Amino acid sequence: MNKPLLAALSALALAGLGAVPAAAASPAAAASPAKAAPQAKAVTVDFAGTVSLSNCSGSVVRLPNSADADPALVLTNGHCLETGFPEPGEVITGQSSSRTFGLLNSAGTKVATLRANQVVYSTMTDTDVTLYRLTTTYAAIKSSYGINALTLNDSHPVAGSAIKVVSGYWKRIYSCNADGFVYRLKEGGWTWKDSLRYTAACNTIGGTSGSPVIDTVTGKVVAVNNTGNEDGQRCTENNPCEVDENGTVTVRQGINYAEETYQIPACFTTGNKLNLGAAGCVLPKP
């Protein structure tokens, strides 16, 4: 996992600070008079709406149908839960919490401390996600600080799409592409389904756990950053391996991953209330 750790600084020594340069673009075919297809214009992705935790990153998020008066939600990883990693197969709902989060503005400056009153949902089974309920609303955050929540996309991300991983802990933004999707990603005792693999430029480190992964065309959250293979080991903690439909294992040292979030909106109803029995909800249940 992208360690939520006391060891974040040692992870810096392992991973370094610089992003891997993207490969140079191939020159256009000189003889072709055809115009290139118009490219969708990228939106500005900055730190507004992201949060810093004591050991991880996160973001204030809303669902496509959330109302401004709803209690706001914070998204981070399951392995960032303050009471420790959920066990394989464990799903936590409705757990009391008083965790605090540093709310960042577009420049990455902390402008407020937000507080949770509940862990709405947390698991490391099939995905790696924690959702907190705050003691304030989207409207109150907007009114007081001029900051909008990030919106969770409710459709599957697309391979090749340009993305940014925004770390509120490090106040750093990584830019890369969605390289593809992993049938099963296995790390220690945990297995995640349909994980998003980054291209090499997103060389995330300890403390980036829980960062929102934002599509640069829509500006919406498509995944939550969670892990990477540090040492080239096979399927061990901090060294996840890819497992395909036939059981073939692939190890990609230095490559990092995120867990998709498009499944989350179907599991919430009016008022940002969790309903794991709702039609279309496929998140693991307690």
Side-chain angles (χ1 to χ4, degrees), residues 53-79:
L53 285 70
S54 57
N55 56 356
C56 284
S57 300
S59 56
V60 180
V61 296
R62 63 188 299 151
L63 313 169
N65 295 323
S66 292
D68 291 345
D70 289 342
L73 302 173
V74 162
L75 169 70
T76 188
N77 283 147
H79 75 263

Side-chain angles (χ1 to χ4, degrees), residues 157-177:
V158 178
S161 56
I163 54 176
K164 291 183 182 288
V165 182
V166 187
S167 171
Y169 184 92
W170 288 114
K171 301 178 177 60
R172 180 175 175 191
I173 298 175
Y174 300 80
S175 300
C176 62
N177 293 83

Side-chain angles (χ1 to χ4, degrees), residues 81-84 86 90-99 116-122 130-133 274:
L81 187 67
E82 69 267 36
T83 50
E90 184 179 12
V91 176
I92 296 163
T93 63
Q95 178 175 288
S96 191
S97 176
S98 59
R99 193 159 198 188
N117 56 20
Q118 186 182 94
V119 176
V120 177
Y121 184 87
S122 184
T130 297
L131 285 157
Y132 289 95
R133 185 181 68 197
L274 181 70

Side-chain angles (χ1 to χ4, degrees), residues 17 25 33 47 74-75 82-83 89 129 152 154 158 174 181 195 236 251:
L17 281 172
F47 295 100
V74 162
L75 169 70
E82 69 267 36
T83 50
V129 64
L152 294 182
D154 57 3
V158 178
Y174 300 80
F181 305 100
S195 302
T236 62
V251 173

Side-chain angles (χ1 to χ4, degrees), residues 91-203:
V91 176
I92 296 163
T93 63
Q95 178 175 288
S96 191
S97 176
S98 59
R99 193 159 198 188
T100 58
F101 313 89
L103 176 67
L104 306 185
N105 65 13
S106 60
T109 302
K110 179 181 172 180
V111 294
T113 297
L114 305 176
R115 185 175 295 275
N117 56 20
Q118 186 182 94
V119 176
V120 177
Y121 184 87
S122 184
T123 193
M124 290 176 64
T125 298
D126 295 354
T127 186
D128 185 6
V129 64
T130 297
L131 285 157
Y132 289 95
R133 185 181 68 197
L134 299 181
T135 58
T136 189
T137 65
Y138 300 116
I141 293 172
K142 174 69 172 177
S143 175
S144 296
Y145 313 110
I147 294 173
N148 291 312
L150 301 174
T151 299
L152 294 182
N153 202 358
D154 57 3
S155 60
H156 194 285
V158 178
S161 56
I163 54 176
K164 291 183 182 288
V165 182
V166 187
S167 171
Y169 184 92
W170 288 114
K171 301 178 177 60
R172 180 175 175 191
I173 298 175
Y174 300 80
S175 300
C176 62
N177 293 83
D179 187 49
F181 305 100
V182 181
Y183 177 69
R184 298 290 184 267
L185 190 66
K186 183 173 176 57
E187 180 172 342
W190 295 277
T191 299
W192 302 306
K193 296 180 178 179
D194 193 24
S195 302
L196 187 156
R197 182 200 309 118
Y198 305 140
T199 52
C202 283
N203 56 337

